[in-house]
């Protein structure tokens, strides 16, 4: 289908109406917190599963909040009389936020979902009808031109993005504008691109309704709309990363062979980054028979960039095909058609010798270092979001370690990061533990095994003494040769800094 078959969107040239509508929504507590209080936790959670019955039951009254939830989030027509004192009714009708249906009701033309930002901001994400996660229809088989709302991938990318002050930011493949909205809070200039003109229109609505500055909106695929002389301090993208046969659904299927879209995005981003700038993406990548997946991803990293790539999940090709066939609602259709599409996915993977697909995060940072740092790791364990500051600190530690050889490391001062706990593992009653584990309770929540010297060293790191002086004291207590201890310990210190257990005390 073409965009012409989709509902007409509200006008973007009436910021005054968007501002008045925003005020009305906030006055009625149409916010993330307001929804939770109104619906209760079970009904609120059911919305995320695209189950609307509990929410419909919870909004059977006639309060302003109940009316707005039914209108904008559940897509239920309501009598205009119930809206007369709730929002600027006529202006919303004139500018296209609402439309008259039947003889005596009005309906919303778009999904509007309250969205709490990383710091509890009261924002609103606009998307096509039934396409907000938690909206009336959930995500299923849609017209290829539809624009989806907030999903798990959207919030993950927002939470891992480095939030330092930026002169310019680029949201590539903006969709409903979630990343552009976040970027507008700390970037002076925001550019948002998308191949779908409808997405650009909806992004403008999201920004206006959330009270954010307008973005520079450009239509085109990947970096096509960006001039060759333009660079950015931040580039973010939640691209259509699904590896599929064809590009049936524009919002998720990249249309390139295999994982070429994600590879191209990563490789071309390097020359678009300003010095010290960050590029952060969600991506899928193939695990190909006879090839190390980590080597595959290292080959993607553009010259002149540090990289930290984290694989969060791996699915075999059958699990992967089933996930996205269900996402499109194909399992609810004709069984023969479902089987044919399933076969097409497996044929495609078999032809490329793909055995599994990985999902994760890719962060690049532009650097002038002679030898860039590239870390590719698997970390499927729970983490504490948001991780933006953790990722920024990772690259700061990369700089520190790159600039300090072992001798300089011993002259350095370090602090144990907060909320690190020590666990001693061994048989009950044993005089000494078999090994000692340091465990983070924040950020990546890593755990690492250290020897007794490493544990003792970390425990007294408060920034007051140099690493060398601490080791000399440990040598005196344990009777070890201080020279040998200084020789063998820097590698362990380096690891503790690299993994975020110790911070340089600058």
């Amino acid at each position: 289908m073409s965009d012409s078959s989709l509902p007409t969107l509200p006008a973007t040239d009436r910021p005054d109406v968007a501002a008045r509508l925003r005020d009305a929504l906030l006055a009625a507590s149409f916010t993330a917190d307001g929804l939770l209080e109104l619906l209760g936790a079970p009904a609120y959670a059911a919305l995320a599963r695209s189950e609307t019955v509990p929410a419909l039951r919870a909004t059977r009254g006639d309060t302003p909040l109940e009316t707005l939830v039914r209108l904008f989030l559940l897509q239920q027509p309501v009598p205009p009389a119930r809206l007369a004192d709730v929002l600027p009714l006529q202006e919303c009708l004139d500018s296209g936020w609402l439309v008259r249906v039947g003889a005596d009701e009005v309906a919303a033309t778009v999904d509007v979902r309250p969205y709490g930002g990383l710091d509890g901001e009261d924002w609103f994400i606009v998307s096509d009808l039934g396409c907000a996660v938690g909206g009336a229809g959930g995500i299923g088989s849609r017209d290829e031109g539809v624009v989806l709302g907030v999903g798990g991938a959207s919030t993950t990318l927002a939470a891992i993005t480095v939030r330092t002050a930026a002169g310019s930011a680029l949201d590539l493949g903006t969709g409903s504008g979630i990343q552009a909205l976040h970027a507008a809070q700390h970037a002076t200039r925001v550019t948002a691109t998308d191949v779908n003109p409808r997405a650009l229109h909806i992004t403008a609505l999201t920004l206006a309704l959330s009270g954010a500055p307008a973005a520079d909106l450009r239509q085109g695929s990947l970096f096509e709309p960006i001039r060759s002389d333009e660079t950015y301090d931040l580039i973010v993208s939640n691209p259509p990363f699904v590896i599929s046969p064809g590009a049936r659904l524009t919002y998720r299927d990249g249309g390139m062979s295999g994982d070429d879209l994600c590879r191209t995005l990563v490789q071309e981003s390097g020359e678009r980054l300003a010095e010290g700038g960050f590029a952060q993406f969600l991506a899928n990548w193939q695990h190909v028979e006879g090839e190390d997946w980590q080597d595959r991803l290292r080959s993607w990293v553009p010259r002149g960039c540090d990289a930290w790539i984290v694989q969060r999940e791996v699915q075999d090709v059958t699990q992967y095909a089933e996930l996205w066939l269900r996402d499109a609602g194909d399992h609810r259709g004709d069984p023969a058609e479902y089987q044919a599409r399933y076969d097409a996915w497996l044929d495609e993977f078999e032809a490329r010798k793909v055995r599994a697909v990985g999902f994760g995060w890719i962060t690049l940072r532009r650097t002038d270092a002679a030898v860039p740092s590239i870390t590719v790791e698997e970390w499927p364990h729970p983490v504490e979001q948001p991780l933006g500051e953790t990722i920024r600190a990772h690259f700061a530690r990369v700089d520190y370690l790159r600039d300090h050889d072992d001798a300089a490391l011993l002259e350095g001062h370090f602090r144990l990061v907060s909320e690190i706990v020590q666990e001693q593992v061994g048989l009950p009653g044993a005089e000494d533990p078999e090994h000692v584990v340091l465990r983070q309770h924040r950020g990546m929540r890593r755990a690492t095994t250290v020897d007794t010297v490493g544990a003792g060293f970390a425990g007294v790191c408060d920034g007051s003494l140099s690493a060398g002086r601490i080791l000399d004291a440990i040598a005196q207590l344990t009777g070890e040769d201080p020279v040998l201890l200084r020789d063998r310990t820097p590698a362990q210190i380096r690891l503790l800094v690299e993994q975020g257990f110790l911070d340089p005390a600058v």
Side-chain angles (χ1 to χ4, degrees):
M1 296 183 184
S2 65
D3 286 356
S4 61
S5 66
L6 295 168
T8 300
L9 295 171
T12 57
D13 60 353
R14 295 293 306 274
D16 57 321
V17 177
R20 291 190 62 193
L21 177 56
R22 170 180 168 78
D23 290 344
L25 297 177
L26 293 175
S29 296
F30 187 69
T31 63
D33 289 342
L35 281 185
L36 181 59
E37 183 176 350
L38 171 67
L39 303 178
Y44 190 80
L47 280 178
R49 303 190 300 270
S50 299
E51 296 291 347
T52 60
V53 172
L56 287 167
R57 291 173 60 85
T59 55
R60 289 177 292 189
D62 58 0
T63 66
L65 179 55
E66 288 170 294
T67 301
L68 291 173
V69 170
R70 293 180 75 89
L71 179 68
F72 284 117
L73 197 58
L74 303 177
Q75 281 95 63
Q76 300 296 306
V78 299
R82 290 180 57 179
L83 295 170
D85 297 324
V86 176
L87 48 72
L89 178 59
Q90 191 57 51
E91 289 93 333
C92 287
L93 286 166
D94 292 342
S95 59
W97 288 94
L98 302 177
V99 62
R100 295 191 182 276
V101 293
D104 55 358
E105 289 184 314
V106 297
T109 58
V110 288
D111 262 309
V112 176
R113 173 181 171 166
Y115 175 63
L118 298 176
D119 295 319
E121 298 92 343
D122 288 323
W123 292 336
F124 302 97
I125 306 300
V126 180
S127 62
D128 270 311
L129 291 172
C131 291
V133 175
I139 299 176
S141 182
R142 304 284 180 197
D143 184 304
E144 64 177 18
V146 299
V147 179
L148 302 185
V150 182
S154 303
T155 55
T156 294
L157 179 58
I160 68 172
T161 299
V162 174
R163 299 294 173 194
T164 54
S168 57
L170 170 63
D171 177 12
L172 196 150
T174 187
S176 57
I178 301 162
Q179 309 309 324
L181 177 57
H182 278 284
Q185 311 311 305
H186 62 101
T188 304
R189 175 174 59 88
V190 176
T191 301
T193 72
D194 205 290
V195 71
N196 181 2
R198 191 175 181 86
L200 299 176
H201 191 130
I202 283 181
T203 290
L205 297 175
T206 289
L207 295 173
L209 194 59
S210 297
D216 177 7
L217 304 176
R218 305 184 193 179
Q219 184 181 354
S221 177
L222 298 179
F223 289 101
E224 287 177 1
I226 307 304
R227 298 192 308 271
S228 60
D229 62 340
E230 289 182 293
T231 60
Y232 295 86
D233 300 305
L234 175 67
I235 299 173
V236 291
S237 183
N238 175 20
F241 52 66
V242 177
I243 300 171
S244 63
R248 185 161 60 103
L249 299 174
T250 306
Y251 65 82
R252 67 167 210 194
D253 301 327
M256 294 186 185
S257 176
D259 52 16
D260 282 356
L261 183 138
C262 291
R263 175 185 56 78
T264 301
L265 175 61
V266 173
Q267 290 180 335
E268 292 184 356
S269 63
E271 62 186 22
R272 305 295 186 176
L273 278 177
E275 186 64 32
F278 288 90
Q280 298 186 265
F281 315 110
L282 301 185
N284 279 185
W285 44 79
Q286 299 172 150
H287 286 227
V288 180
E289 183 179 341
E291 177 186 79
D292 186 298
W293 68 270
Q294 292 176 313
D295 289 343
R296 182 183 189 86
L297 289 173
R298 287 189 187 96
S299 74
W300 290 8
V301 178
R303 189 172 297 180
C305 287
D306 293 324
W308 185 17
I309 301 174
V310 182
Q311 180 167 271
R312 295 288 290 157
E313 183 180 359
V314 181
Q315 291 185 326
D316 67 49
V317 292
T318 60
Q319 292 174 309
Y320 189 80
E322 290 163 14
L323 169 67
W324 296 109
L325 287 167
R326 288 180 175 273
D327 172 81
D330 292 325
H331 62 299
R332 295 192 293 266
D334 176 56
E337 186 174 351
Y338 173 79
Q339 181 176 339
R341 284 181 171 161
Y342 200 150
D343 270 333
W345 284 68
L346 297 186
D347 286 344
E348 192 88 356
F349 285 132
E350 185 176 342
R352 297 196 211 105
K353 298 184 178 180
V354 176
R355 297 294 175 257
V357 177
F359 170 84
W361 318 324
I362 297 177
T363 301
L364 307 177
R365 185 190 57 166
R366 190 75 184 177
T367 180
D368 59 2
V371 181
S373 168
I374 300 177
T375 300
V376 183
E377 63 175 321
E378 184 165 22
W379 190 254
H381 312 293
V383 298
E384 182 189 53
Q385 293 280 25
L387 279 173
E389 177 56 25
T390 297
I391 291 174
R392 186 210 61 77
H394 165 87
F395 287 95
R397 292 193 299 271
V398 164
D399 286 340
Y400 180 88
L401 293 173
R402 187 159 45 203
D403 294 339
H404 290 72
D405 60 15
D406 285 357
L409 209 62
L410 292 174
E411 293 298 319
H413 294 237
F414 301 93
R415 288 193 181 92
L416 184 67
V417 173
S418 63
E419 298 194 41
I420 303 292
V421 298
Q422 175 179 302
E423 301 172 0
Q424 297 186 359
V425 181
L427 294 173
E431 184 175 345
D432 296 313
E434 293 179 14
H435 57 268
V436 178
V437 175
L438 300 182
R439 188 179 301 277
Q440 300 170 350
H441 279 221
R442 305 295 297 272
M444 293 294 287
R445 294 179 174 171
R446 296 186 188 275
T448 190
T449 301
V450 294
D451 60 20
T452 53
V453 170
F457 177 87
V460 297
C461 278
D462 62 2
S464 61
L465 297 175
S466 70
R469 290 189 62 187
I470 293 173
L471 291 178
D472 289 345
I474 292 174
Q476 188 173 11
L477 288 172
T478 61
E480 290 198 49
D481 184 325
V483 175
L484 294 178
L485 193 59
R486 279 173 170 255
D487 284 344
R488 70 177 174 85
T489 307
Q492 192 167 191
I493 297 173
R494 194 172 291 276
L495 180 65
L496 290 174
V497 173
E498 180 183 329
Q499 294 192 345
F501 290 90
L502 295 177
D503 271 341
V506 179

